[in-house]
Amino acid sequence: MSVKDYTARNGKELVLEIKGQFDFSLHKPFRQAYRGHSGVEVYRVDLAQAEYMDSSALGMLLLLREHASGQGAKVVLCNCQEEVEKILRIANFQKLFQIERNGVEARGDS
Amino acid sequence: MSAADSPGLTDTDPTDRERVPEPDELTVLVVDDEPVNVLLLEMILKARGFNVAMAEDGAKAVDRVRDGHCDLVLMDVMMPGMDGYDATRHIKRIEAETGRFIPVLFVTALTDEKRLAECVACGGDDFLTKPISRVQLNAKIDSWLRTQAMHRTLQGQHDELERHQQRLDMEQQLARRIVGKAVASPVLETPGLRYRYRPAEILSGDILLAGCTPGGRLMLMLGDFTGHGIAAAIGVIPLSNIFRSMTRKGFSPAEVLREADARMCEALPAEMFLAAITLELDPVSRTLTVWNSAMPPLLVIGRDGTVRHRIGSSQLPLGVDGAHSPGRELPAMLELQAGDRLFLCSDGVVEAGGRQPFGQQQVEQVLTESAPDQGVERLEQALVAHLGHDLPGADDITFVELDCGRLLSELAGCREADGLAAETGPDVRQGNGAVRSGWARRCCAGSTRCPCCSVRWSDCTVRCSNGRASTWCWPNSMPTPWSTGCWGWTPASRRPKTASSRTTRCARAVSRIWPRARSPSGCVTRASAW
């Protein structure tokens, strides 16, 4: 389980790579990873290597959303595995976040 | 509140606890029947500044230890009366009772290995062989005093943790009673409504609320807060207050959801939310209305034991985003058939077992195979068998089964008994000229606008004769009084030719929320009545 963060597009995009179980144990590292960056326009959460996420992970995404909206930035979730995408769909998070599959935006139901 | 039971305060300072005391603060008990040996040991110990106490046999040694005036014992093996082994056994028993660690070091001339091994077997901590070496004796004493200091530290921490734990348990039990009172409802005891509620900890993040409106409708909410424990329980109180008071006043679930959502958006931190299934059963129209906000699907199981409908999540959880409140979204509606059973559960059921989850498929299999009044018991048995231990597992587990026929007749019964039958609306003349017996409800329960097409209810022409025009009404162009006043999933071919533009707008809103592929076509059962 880990969070790796790096910036892209001249610091305008912050990528957060989640590896393994996305659950409460990542609460602190996840918060630390997105804090303290200025001028970010897009927070991209790369879930390619996230095997599972629980409700506290959904909570962390909501915290990131709150943080991003305070800066006028947006949050994009990308490369979700099937299991993770199912969890996001049940929670209907496609109404709150842009969800991209392999770089292509997957249209939500709404 | 005394210092002893307040958290964070201890009787000894932790840094003080870890310190090995100075020799003059310590008393070493020398147990030997030979005055020469005692003299020699006393000399060595006093040279280092220890206080020295003496006992000439085992029984006296035990007494000294019991009096509490000794920190370490130097013990001879062979003595008249009680020997060293027996005395040590007694001392160690006192140690266990008081929780004070008193190292016992045997000082002996024995060389027989079996006898030496016995020194440790009887509870002694170490042994020294005669002739006594001053260096060895001092080294062993120092080493055991360090161990004693460490033991004291551990003991202190253990006591402290235990006090904390007791306090926490007590507070949680109290909070549990408060939550228990907040959610308790006689409606949950209605025959036909059966449930299991198994919190993973003292306090649960799951919540089950039920209530009856003055019009006799049953409202039920099964919710699941993020996490469990105290934080989750705090959210339960405002939610149950809103649910109870609004249900009692006859508000619709949509309004309860909007209010609860708004309150939670205000009060809860961003990462905390509530997934919930909210349903309404109308005993008069025999319709079921469901808002599934991020919960496992609600199952409608027919009389033949097959799953007729799965009403999956189509809304965001509560407390996330006011603009997307589940109460503003279109619910799923269907007309119930005789013998229908409803089943709803928290995700703790589907995910029970962690890496090998119980799974939705197995839930359905157990329920479809069980007799109508056995679903809850069978599922509980299957979950216990899957987990290999009693419920719950790592997460809170709640599941509810509703035997609709039984429940509806109970509800209708209490409705008539309460004299509430008079609150039904006027008869409805249907398109084919037939008169459908009147029933009424508060269209979107008194709200001024339809939740999906935003038409003002004041445009309605059919009104209740009892004078409460604003509460008992439905839009004029709709022959059947849907609780939302919308066309729901009515196929275009079944819509009356006179349908106004607002119907089209509604249909568009519906298809946006339920894409055609996922539209539960079976939900359009009411269409057959037109």
Side-chain angles (χ1 to χ4, degrees), chain B residues 258-297:
Chain B
R258 279 203 291 277
E259 178 65 28
D261 188 61
R263 189 76 65 84
M264 269 184 233
C265 284
E266 266 168 35
L268 299 185
E271 72 268 39
M272 212 176 144
F273 55 83
L274 173 79
I277 278 193
T278 312
L279 65 85
E280 182 195 47
L281 271 181
D282 192 314
V284 183
S285 65
R286 301 183 74 86
T287 46
L288 165 73
T289 315
V290 182
W291 286 257
N292 187 340
S293 321
M295 289 286 275

Side-chain angles (χ1 to χ4, degrees), chain B residues 49-266:
Chain B
F50 287 111
N51 299 309
V52 181
M54 280 160 283
E56 57 263 32
D57 62 49
K60 288 206 177 93
V62 174
D63 289 343
R64 296 303 294 263
V65 171
R66 190 168 286 132
D67 291 345
H69 304 299
C70 118
D71 302 286
L72 187 140
V73 183
L74 296 179
M75 180 77 79
D76 189 18
V77 176
M78 282 175 299
M79 289 174 289
M82 190 190 285
D83 69 5
Y85 298 139
D86 264 349
T88 304
R89 283 189 197 100
H90 276 99
I91 290 169
K92 289 294 165 184
R93 225 169 285 149
I94 295 168
E95 187 182 283
E97 284 161 17
T98 57
R100 267 183 76 223
F101 172 48
I102 306 151
V104 176
L105 276 56
F106 279 93
V107 183
T108 173
L110 296 171
T111 48
D112 176 7
E113 292 205 330
K114 222 170 126 189
R115 301 296 296 274
L116 286 175
E118 173 111 32
C119 296
V120 176
C122 71
D125 296 286
D126 206 345
F127 52 81
L128 271 162
T129 46
K130 288 175 188 168
I132 293 160
S133 138
R134 177 193 293 263
V135 176
Q136 270 189 30
L137 177 69
N138 280 330
K140 292 225 170 182
I141 288 177
D142 287 344
S143 149
W144 280 106
L145 288 177
R146 270 207 298 271
T147 309
Q148 188 182 43
M150 203 155 75
H151 181 273
R152 206 161 34 229
T153 308
L154 282 175
Q155 187 68 40
Q157 287 171 344
H158 175 264
D159 293 350
E160 206 175 310
L161 272 178
E162 205 166 68
R163 269 202 304 276
H164 273 288
Q165 189 61 44
Q166 273 173 6
R167 192 177 169 78
L168 191 70
D169 278 0
M170 216 171 69
E171 283 180 348
Q172 292 213 7
Q173 293 288 4
L174 192 66
R176 183 184 182 154
R177 276 166 50 206
I178 296 170
V179 170
K181 281 185 105 160
V183 302
S185 161
V187 179
L188 284 172
E189 311 310 322
T190 313
L193 194 163
R194 280 130 38 80
Y195 64 94
R196 290 287 182 277
Y197 179 72
R198 301 278 185 261
E201 291 171 14
I202 298 174
L203 285 169
S204 175
D206 283 2
I207 175 171
L208 182 61
L209 295 167
C212 256
T213 64
R217 288 173 288 134
L218 172 88
M219 274 171 53
L220 187 95
M221 182 190 257
L222 171 60
D224 180 0
F225 273 101
T226 19
H228 25 85
I230 290 187
I234 288 172
V236 169
I237 306 295
L239 178 69
S240 69
N241 284 346
I242 291 169
F243 183 92
R244 270 183 156 184
S245 63
M246 289 183 77
T247 305
R248 205 177 293 146
K249 289 174 194 153
F251 284 92
S252 78
E255 279 170 310
V256 176
L257 280 171
R258 279 203 291 277
E259 178 65 28
D261 188 61
R263 189 76 65 84
M264 269 184 233
C265 284
E266 266 168 35

Side-chain angles (χ1 to χ4, degrees), chain A residues 21 27 31 51-53 55-56 58-60 62-63 65-66 87 89-96 109-110, chain B residues 226-227 270-271 273 292-296 313-317 320-321 324 329 351 355 512-513 515 518:
Chain A
Q21 301 262 325
H27 197 81
R31 279 176 81 134
E51 294 151 11
Y52 172 79
M53 68 195 294
S55 62
S56 59
L58 295 174
M60 286 183 243
L62 292 173
L63 273 179
R65 178 171 170 266
E66 190 184 52
I87 293 161
R89 293 264 161 209
I90 290 176
N92 284 282
F93 269 32
Q94 72 276 11
K95 292 178 184 174
L96 302 177
D109 289 348
S110 58
Chain B
T226 19
E271 72 268 39
F273 55 83
N292 187 340
S293 321
M295 289 286 275
S313 160
S314 61
Q315 288 130 22
L316 276 171
V320 172
D321 185 10
H324 288 98
E329 311 259 346
E351 289 168 13
R355 292 206 175 269
R512 210 167 61 230
I513 291 159
R518 282 180 55 204

Side-chain angles (χ1 to χ4, degrees), chain B residues 23 25 56 155 157 175 195 265 284 325 367 399 445 450 459 471 482:
Chain B
E25 299 170 56
E56 57 263 32
Q155 187 68 40
Q157 287 171 344
Y195 64 94
C265 284
V284 183
S325 162
L367 289 169
F399 48 96
C450 165
D459 295 344
T471 49
W482 286 84

Side-chain angles (χ1 to χ4, degrees), chain B residues 30 35-52 54 74 132 134 137-138 141:
Chain B
V30 177
V36 186
N37 292 340
V38 176
L39 211 63
L40 178 65
L41 287 168
E42 192 184 1
M43 233 168 59
I44 299 173
L45 293 167
K46 285 212 161 147
R48 287 213 39 209
F50 287 111
N51 299 309
V52 181
M54 280 160 283
L74 296 179
I132 293 160
R134 177 193 293 263
L137 177 69
N138 280 330
I141 288 177

